[in-house]
Amino acid sequence: MKRSREQAASELFAAFYPRLAGWCRRLVDDDETAHEIASEAFTRLWARWTAVAEPRGFLYVTATNLVRDHWRKLERERRAVRRATVEAAVRPPAEQTDPSLRMLVQSLPERLRVPILLHYYADLPIREISLLTGRKEGTVMSDLHTARELLRAHLRRSLDHTV
């Protein structure tokens, strides 16, 4: 019995994966993302294998939802880039900002630099940063705190040396 279920799953994969991946490819315009979505749809099907009456329909509905999630993520990223671009265009010239602070922010590890740039330079709320980066809100807040502490400590050292 188990053998026939595995064989049926294998036959289903062989029959539907290429079509499903091709359909996803037309929707997301990227081979790698299309294969990730198709694979995830099959993974979700396998998790519910015995409860799914119509596997083909399940695969396409699941893939549709995953494609929609992908589009939403791309739109959030586009909005963040647009917001950052507009913010940069509206900001006063860079000469008015402290170049050492800018360099210090750039020297932060990416894990800390990204939330700082998105929160303070692009003016994104923590929730949106969480969605964009795929991190929990608490993690974003913790990273912002850690980055501020590092910046504060470095600025104190810099001021001590100039006095």
Side-chain angles (χ1 to χ4, degrees):
M1 175 114 169
K2 184 177 181 178
R3 183 74 178 135
S4 65
R5 200 176 330 160
E6 287 177 6
Q7 186 176 358
S10 179
E11 290 170 2
L12 184 75
F13 185 83
F16 289 115
Y17 184 83
R19 257 185 276 178
L20 183 65
W23 180 76
C24 291
R25 169 66 172 90
R26 285 188 298 279
L27 294 173
V28 299
D29 200 30
D30 176 54
D31 285 336
E32 186 177 337
T33 303
H35 284 288
E36 286 175 11
I37 290 171
S39 296
E40 179 63 22
F42 270 95
T43 299
R44 292 181 184 189
L45 173 63
W46 302 149
R48 295 165 185 79
W49 182 246
T50 57
V52 174
E54 178 50 51
R56 181 174 184 254
F58 180 89
L59 287 169
Y60 278 89
V61 167
T62 302
T64 299
N65 291 334
L66 293 169
V67 165
R68 195 174 314 127
D69 290 346
H70 172 74
W71 288 343
R72 286 181 187 135
K73 179 182 175 204
L74 288 178
E75 182 55 32
R76 285 190 305 269
E77 290 171 353
R78 278 190 214 108
R79 278 196 318 260
V81 168
R82 272 196 306 267
R83 194 176 286 157
T85 303
V86 167
E87 184 78 18
V90 172
R91 282 198 184 288
E95 294 78 37
Q96 293 180 6
T97 60
D98 183 1
S100 63
L101 179 60
R102 188 174 60 241
M103 289 173 45
L104 183 58
V105 169
Q106 289 173 346
S107 72
L108 288 170
E110 184 176 351
R111 175 183 68 82
L112 302 176
R113 183 177 59 243
V114 169
I116 287 287
L117 291 173
L118 292 175
H119 190 65
Y120 292 105
Y121 290 84
D123 199 32
L124 295 181
I126 289 172
R127 183 167 217 206
E128 195 163 343
I129 296 168
S130 171
L131 292 170
L132 285 171
T133 61
R135 298 180 194 158
K136 294 180 181 176
E137 288 182 39
T139 303
V140 172
M141 288 189 291
S142 174
D143 288 345
L144 285 169
H145 174 76
T146 302
R148 283 191 303 265
E149 290 301 314
L150 285 171
L151 293 170
R152 188 175 292 122
H154 188 277
L155 289 172
R156 275 192 195 124
R157 284 194 304 271
S158 296
L159 288 174
D160 290 344
H161 291 316
T162 58
V163 173

